[in-house]
Amino acid sequence: LSTMAAQALTRAARQAEERAEHARISAILEHLPVVVAVINREGNVVHINAAGRDFAQRMGAEDLDWRAAAASVVSTDREGRVIPPEQNGVALAFGGQTTARELMLVTRLGEKLHVLSVSVPIRAPDGSVEAVLSSFQEVTELRELADAKDRFLSIASHELRSPITSLCATTSLLQLDPKALTDESRRTVLLSRIQRQIDRLSTLVE
């Protein structure tokens, strides 16, 4: 009886630890600032965290069926090409494929959101896909900053070419006609031209 009681207590303690661990994991997922959802083969969302529920509302989905949610927005890749339903990350994951990509979502209200999307198949013991783990993280601000940086670099590189071209032309002129340095009036013109372009470059750099 003592042995049986000890075993029962051990099992109870192990079960309590497992329940506590499950509760900790559930709490972490619930408060994670990233959308996490588990979708079964019937298209039902069997688990979704708080960020996911907020995201679904923001997308204008009337329920948590992933097909309805996907139909409520237009999904495109970074180049603006529309992603057909069969290429949806969840659909691909049900086919056994893991996907991770940046998408732009356009809601019914015309709001544009950039997200990092990850869809992973969840397999049963026999290897079949029984569910899909789908995750989203909004990166709209990061994408806008990255695009602004690219625009700035493009403009800056274009603007830098003009003074550099002028400086190259002036130095080429001096190489072709070294006597220009001994002619005070020409030297003054050339030096002022060089100084203007140096000032312009300094302004651009600043």
Side-chain angles (χ1 to χ4, degrees), residues 156-168 193-206:
S157 63
H158 174 76
E159 291 295 323
L160 285 169
R161 288 192 187 98
S162 180
I164 290 174
T165 300
S166 180
L167 286 170
C168 289
R193 182 186 302 172
I194 291 172
Q195 188 60 52
R196 278 199 311 273
Q197 301 309 324
I198 289 173
D199 293 341
R200 187 175 178 187
L201 280 173
S202 298
T203 300
L204 287 170
V205 170
E206 288 175 4

mmCIF file of all heavy atoms in Angstrom, residues 156-168 193-206:
data_model
loop_
_atom_site.group_PDB
_atom_site.id
_atom_site.type_symbol
_atom_site.label_atom_id
_atom_site.label_comp_id
_atom_site.label_asym_id
_atom_site.label_seq_id
_atom_site.Cartn_x
_atom_site.Cartn_y
_atom_site.Cartn_z
ATOM 1 N N ALA A 156 20.398 60.328 -53.222
ATOM 2 C CA ALA A 156 21.727 60.811 -52.839
ATOM 3 C C ALA A 156 22.776 60.419 -53.878
ATOM 4 O O ALA A 156 23.629 61.235 -54.266
ATOM 5 C CB ALA A 156 22.110 60.267 -51.472
ATOM 6 N N SER A 157 22.714 59.175 -54.352
ATOM 7 C CA SER A 157 23.702 58.735 -55.340
ATOM 8 C C SER A 157 23.558 59.527 -56.632
ATOM 9 O O SER A 157 24.554 59.868 -57.287
ATOM 10 C CB SER A 157 23.549 57.238 -55.613
ATOM 11 O OG SER A 157 22.283 56.957 -56.172
ATOM 12 N N HIS A 158 22.313 59.847 -56.991
ATOM 13 C CA HIS A 158 22.092 60.660 -58.210
ATOM 14 C C HIS A 158 22.640 62.072 -58.007
ATOM 15 O O HIS A 158 23.303 62.627 -58.903
ATOM 16 C CB HIS A 158 20.594 60.704 -58.525
ATOM 17 C CG HIS A 158 20.259 61.615 -59.662
ATOM 18 N ND1 HIS A 158 20.496 61.277 -60.987
ATOM 19 C CD2 HIS A 158 19.712 62.861 -59.685
ATOM 20 C CE1 HIS A 158 20.108 62.273 -61.759
ATOM 21 N NE2 HIS A 158 19.626 63.251 -61.008
ATOM 22 N N GLU A 159 22.353 62.664 -56.847
ATOM 23 C CA GLU A 159 22.798 64.034 -56.577
ATOM 24 C C GLU A 159 24.317 64.125 -56.469
ATOM 25 O O GLU A 159 24.912 65.155 -56.792
ATOM 26 C CB GLU A 159 22.149 64.545 -55.282
ATOM 27 C CG GLU A 159 20.660 64.790 -55.385
ATOM 28 C CD GLU A 159 20.322 65.910 -56.363
ATOM 29 O OE1 GLU A 159 21.081 66.894 -56.422
ATOM 30 O OE2 GLU A 159 19.326 65.782 -57.081
ATOM 31 N N LEU A 160 24.950 63.065 -55.991
ATOM 32 C CA LEU A 160 26.413 63.087 -55.853
ATOM 33 C C LEU A 160 27.114 63.057 -57.204
ATOM 34 O O LEU A 160 28.247 63.537 -57.333
ATOM 35 C CB LEU A 160 26.873 61.893 -55.010
ATOM 36 C CG LEU A 160 26.615 61.984 -53.504
ATOM 37 C CD1 LEU A 160 26.860 60.640 -52.838
ATOM 38 C CD2 LEU A 160 27.499 63.047 -52.863
ATOM 39 N N ARG A 161 26.462 62.489 -58.199
ATOM 40 C CA ARG A 161 27.116 62.358 -59.509
ATOM 41 C C ARG A 161 27.411 63.720 -60.140
ATOM 42 O O ARG A 161 28.434 63.896 -60.800
ATOM 43 C CB ARG A 161 26.241 61.530 -60.454
ATOM 44 C CG ARG A 161 26.188 60.052 -60.121
ATOM 45 C CD ARG A 161 25.558 59.255 -61.256
ATOM 46 N NE ARG A 161 25.371 57.872 -60.863
ATOM 47 C CZ ARG A 161 24.225 57.369 -60.422
ATOM 48 N NH1 ARG A 161 23.167 58.146 -60.309
ATOM 49 N NH2 ARG A 161 24.120 56.098 -60.097
ATOM 50 N N SER A 162 26.500 64.681 -59.932
ATOM 51 C CA SER A 162 26.657 65.985 -60.599
ATOM 52 C C SER A 162 27.919 66.720 -60.164
ATOM 53 O O SER A 162 28.743 67.107 -61.019
ATOM 54 C CB SER A 162 25.412 66.838 -60.350
ATOM 55 O OG SER A 162 25.544 68.090 -60.970
ATOM 56 N N PRO A 163 28.146 66.938 -58.849
ATOM 57 C CA PRO A 163 29.391 67.638 -58.470
ATOM 58 C C PRO A 163 30.637 66.833 -58.772
ATOM 59 O O PRO A 163 31.686 67.408 -59.123
ATOM 60 C CB PRO A 163 29.222 67.871 -56.962
ATOM 61 C CG PRO A 163 28.197 66.887 -56.517
ATOM 62 C CD PRO A 163 27.278 66.704 -57.670
ATOM 63 N N ILE A 164 30.546 65.512 -58.675
ATOM 64 C CA ILE A 164 31.720 64.688 -58.980
ATOM 65 C C ILE A 164 32.070 64.809 -60.461
ATOM 66 O O ILE A 164 33.252 64.922 -60.835
ATOM 67 C CB ILE A 164 31.464 63.217 -58.584
ATOM 68 C CG1 ILE A 164 31.426 63.090 -57.055
ATOM 69 C CG2 ILE A 164 32.527 62.295 -59.169
ATOM 70 C CD1 ILE A 164 31.031 61.713 -56.556
ATOM 71 N N THR A 165 31.046 64.803 -61.321
ATOM 72 C CA THR A 165 31.273 64.961 -62.767
ATOM 73 C C THR A 165 31.921 66.313 -63.066
ATOM 74 O O THR A 165 32.849 66.410 -63.878
ATOM 75 C CB THR A 165 29.935 64.837 -63.525
ATOM 76 O OG1 THR A 165 29.368 63.556 -63.265
ATOM 77 C CG2 THR A 165 30.150 65.011 -65.024
ATOM 78 N N SER A 166 31.426 67.363 -62.382
ATOM 79 C CA SER A 166 31.996 68.691 -62.595
ATOM 80 C C SER A 166 33.449 68.751 -62.151
ATOM 81 O O SER A 166 34.304 69.343 -62.828
ATOM 82 C CB SER A 166 31.156 69.728 -61.843
ATOM 83 O OG SER A 166 31.676 71.021 -62.032
ATOM 84 N N LEU A 167 33.754 68.157 -61.015
ATOM 85 C CA LEU A 167 35.137 68.143 -60.524
ATOM 86 C C LEU A 167 36.048 67.386 -61.487
ATOM 87 O O LEU A 167 37.184 67.811 -61.757
ATOM 88 C CB LEU A 167 35.196 67.507 -59.137
ATOM 89 C CG LEU A 167 34.669 68.367 -57.978
ATOM 90 C CD1 LEU A 167 34.549 67.539 -56.704
ATOM 91 C CD2 LEU A 167 35.586 69.565 -57.748
ATOM 92 N N CYS A 168 35.559 66.256 -62.000
ATOM 93 C CA CYS A 168 36.356 65.476 -62.948
ATOM 94 C C CYS A 168 36.629 66.281 -64.220
ATOM 95 O O CYS A 168 37.748 66.263 -64.763
ATOM 96 C CB CYS A 168 35.635 64.177 -63.307
ATOM 97 S SG CYS A 168 35.591 62.967 -61.965
ATOM 98 N N ARG A 193 35.025 77.285 -59.257
ATOM 99 C CA ARG A 193 34.184 76.171 -59.697
ATOM 100 C C ARG A 193 34.428 74.936 -58.824
ATOM 101 O O ARG A 193 33.491 74.270 -58.387
ATOM 102 C CB ARG A 193 34.475 75.845 -61.163
ATOM 103 C CG ARG A 193 33.597 74.726 -61.726
ATOM 104 C CD ARG A 193 34.029 74.353 -63.118
ATOM 105 N NE ARG A 193 33.980 75.483 -64.039
ATOM 106 C CZ ARG A 193 34.460 75.441 -65.280
ATOM 107 N NH1 ARG A 193 35.063 74.338 -65.716
ATOM 108 N NH2 ARG A 193 34.372 76.502 -66.058
ATOM 109 N N ILE A 194 35.705 74.660 -58.557
ATOM 110 C CA ILE A 194 36.045 73.516 -57.693
ATOM 111 C C ILE A 194 35.485 73.719 -56.291
ATOM 112 O O ILE A 194 34.909 72.803 -55.686
ATOM 113 C CB ILE A 194 37.576 73.324 -57.651
ATOM 114 C CG1 ILE A 194 38.084 72.833 -59.006
ATOM 115 C CG2 ILE A 194 37.962 72.347 -56.544
ATOM 116 C CD1 ILE A 194 39.601 72.787 -59.120
ATOM 117 N N GLN A 195 35.618 74.943 -55.767
ATOM 118 C CA GLN A 195 35.142 75.217 -54.417
ATOM 119 C C GLN A 195 33.613 75.055 -54.325
ATOM 120 O O GLN A 195 33.097 74.539 -53.327
ATOM 121 C CB GLN A 195 35.543 76.625 -53.982
ATOM 122 C CG GLN A 195 35.250 76.923 -52.512
ATOM 123 C CD GLN A 195 35.995 75.970 -51.588
ATOM 124 O OE1 GLN A 195 37.207 75.806 -51.705
ATOM 125 N NE2 GLN A 195 35.269 75.308 -50.686
ATOM 126 N N ARG A 196 32.898 75.504 -55.359
ATOM 127 C CA ARG A 196 31.432 75.360 -55.364
ATOM 128 C C ARG A 196 31.021 73.893 -55.297
ATOM 129 O O ARG A 196 30.117 73.521 -54.544
ATOM 130 C CB ARG A 196 30.834 75.998 -56.631
ATOM 131 C CG ARG A 196 30.647 77.494 -56.557
ATOM 132 C CD ARG A 196 29.650 77.977 -57.618
ATOM 133 N NE ARG A 196 29.946 77.462 -58.943
ATOM 134 C CZ ARG A 196 30.788 78.052 -59.804
ATOM 135 N NH1 ARG A 196 31.435 79.157 -59.440
ATOM 136 N NH2 ARG A 196 30.987 77.534 -61.009
ATOM 137 N N GLN A 197 31.706 73.061 -56.072
ATOM 138 C CA GLN A 197 31.346 71.646 -56.087
ATOM 139 C C GLN A 197 31.744 70.966 -54.772
ATOM 140 O O GLN A 197 31.041 70.071 -54.293
ATOM 141 C CB GLN A 197 32.008 70.941 -57.280
ATOM 142 C CG GLN A 197 31.616 71.524 -58.633
ATOM 143 C CD GLN A 197 30.108 71.648 -58.801
ATOM 144 O OE1 GLN A 197 29.337 70.815 -58.340
ATOM 145 N NE2 GLN A 197 29.675 72.726 -59.464
ATOM 146 N N ILE A 198 32.860 71.397 -54.186
ATOM 147 C CA ILE A 198 33.253 70.856 -52.874
ATOM 148 C C ILE A 198 32.217 71.234 -51.820
ATOM 149 O O ILE A 198 31.805 70.402 -50.996
ATOM 150 C CB ILE A 198 34.652 71.368 -52.481
ATOM 151 C CG1 ILE A 198 35.728 70.722 -53.362
ATOM 152 C CG2 ILE A 198 34.935 71.065 -50.990
ATOM 153 C CD1 ILE A 198 37.116 71.279 -53.158
ATOM 154 N N ASP A 199 31.750 72.490 -51.850
ATOM 155 C CA ASP A 199 30.709 72.929 -50.917
ATOM 156 C C ASP A 199 29.420 72.138 -51.118
ATOM 157 O O ASP A 199 28.738 71.760 -50.148
ATOM 158 C CB ASP A 199 30.424 74.426 -51.102
ATOM 159 C CG ASP A 199 31.615 75.292 -50.692
ATOM 160 O OD1 ASP A 199 32.478 74.768 -49.938
ATOM 161 O OD2 ASP A 199 31.649 76.463 -51.100
ATOM 162 N N ARG A 200 29.096 71.868 -52.382
ATOM 163 C CA ARG A 200 27.874 71.102 -52.672
ATOM 164 C C ARG A 200 27.994 69.675 -52.132
ATOM 165 O O ARG A 200 27.061 69.130 -51.552
ATOM 166 C CB ARG A 200 27.630 71.093 -54.178
ATOM 167 C CG ARG A 200 26.308 70.462 -54.554
ATOM 168 C CD ARG A 200 26.060 70.578 -56.048
ATOM 169 N NE ARG A 200 24.816 69.936 -56.438
ATOM 170 C CZ ARG A 200 24.420 69.777 -57.684
ATOM 171 N NH1 ARG A 200 25.183 70.237 -58.676
ATOM 172 N NH2 ARG A 200 23.287 69.172 -57.962
ATOM 173 N N LEU A 201 29.163 69.068 -52.328
ATOM 174 C CA LEU A 201 29.394 67.719 -51.810
ATOM 175 C C LEU A 201 29.301 67.700 -50.282
ATOM 176 O O LEU A 201 28.697 66.789 -49.695
ATOM 177 C CB LEU A 201 30.772 67.211 -52.262
ATOM 178 C CG LEU A 201 30.871 66.678 -53.681
ATOM 179 C CD1 LEU A 201 32.328 66.377 -54.017
ATOM 180 C CD2 LEU A 201 30.034 65.412 -53.852
ATOM 181 N N SER A 202 29.880 68.714 -49.646
ATOM 182 C CA SER A 202 29.826 68.786 -48.183
ATOM 183 C C SER A 202 28.397 68.879 -47.697
ATOM 184 O O SER A 202 28.011 68.222 -46.720
ATOM 185 C CB SER A 202 30.644 69.977 -47.685
ATOM 186 O OG SER A 202 32.005 69.851 -48.032
ATOM 187 N N THR A 203 27.583 69.696 -48.380
ATOM 188 C CA THR A 203 26.187 69.830 -48.013
ATOM 189 C C THR A 203 25.437 68.513 -48.149
ATOM 190 O O THR A 203 24.662 68.104 -47.280
ATOM 191 C CB THR A 203 25.508 70.903 -48.884
ATOM 192 O OG1 THR A 203 26.172 72.146 -48.692
ATOM 193 C CG2 THR A 203 24.035 71.060 -48.498
ATOM 194 N N LEU A 204 25.691 67.803 -49.257
ATOM 195 C CA LEU A 204 25.038 66.503 -49.480
ATOM 196 C C LEU A 204 25.426 65.499 -48.413
ATOM 197 O O LEU A 204 24.582 64.755 -47.894
ATOM 198 C CB LEU A 204 25.388 65.979 -50.866
ATOM 199 C CG LEU A 204 24.730 66.667 -52.064
ATOM 200 C CD1 LEU A 204 25.359 66.190 -53.361
ATOM 201 C CD2 LEU A 204 23.231 66.380 -52.069
ATOM 202 N N VAL A 205 26.717 65.475 -48.071
ATOM 203 C CA VAL A 205 27.192 64.529 -47.056
ATOM 204 C C VAL A 205 26.550 64.824 -45.706
ATOM 205 O O VAL A 205 26.098 63.931 -44.986
ATOM 206 C CB VAL A 205 28.735 64.565 -46.965
ATOM 207 C CG1 VAL A 205 29.202 63.774 -45.744
ATOM 208 C CG2 VAL A 205 29.340 63.974 -48.232
ATOM 209 N N GLU A 206 26.507 66.125 -45.361
ATOM 210 C CA GLU A 206 25.884 66.503 -44.080
ATOM 211 C C GLU A 206 24.402 66.142 -44.058
ATOM 212 O O GLU A 206 23.862 65.730 -43.039
ATOM 213 C CB GLU A 206 26.068 68.007 -43.844
ATOM 214 C CG GLU A 206 27.503 68.387 -43.503
ATOM 215 C CD GLU A 206 27.679 69.876 -43.400
ATOM 216 O OE1 GLU A 206 26.677 70.590 -43.515
ATOM 217 O OE2 GLU A 206 28.819 70.321 -43.207
#
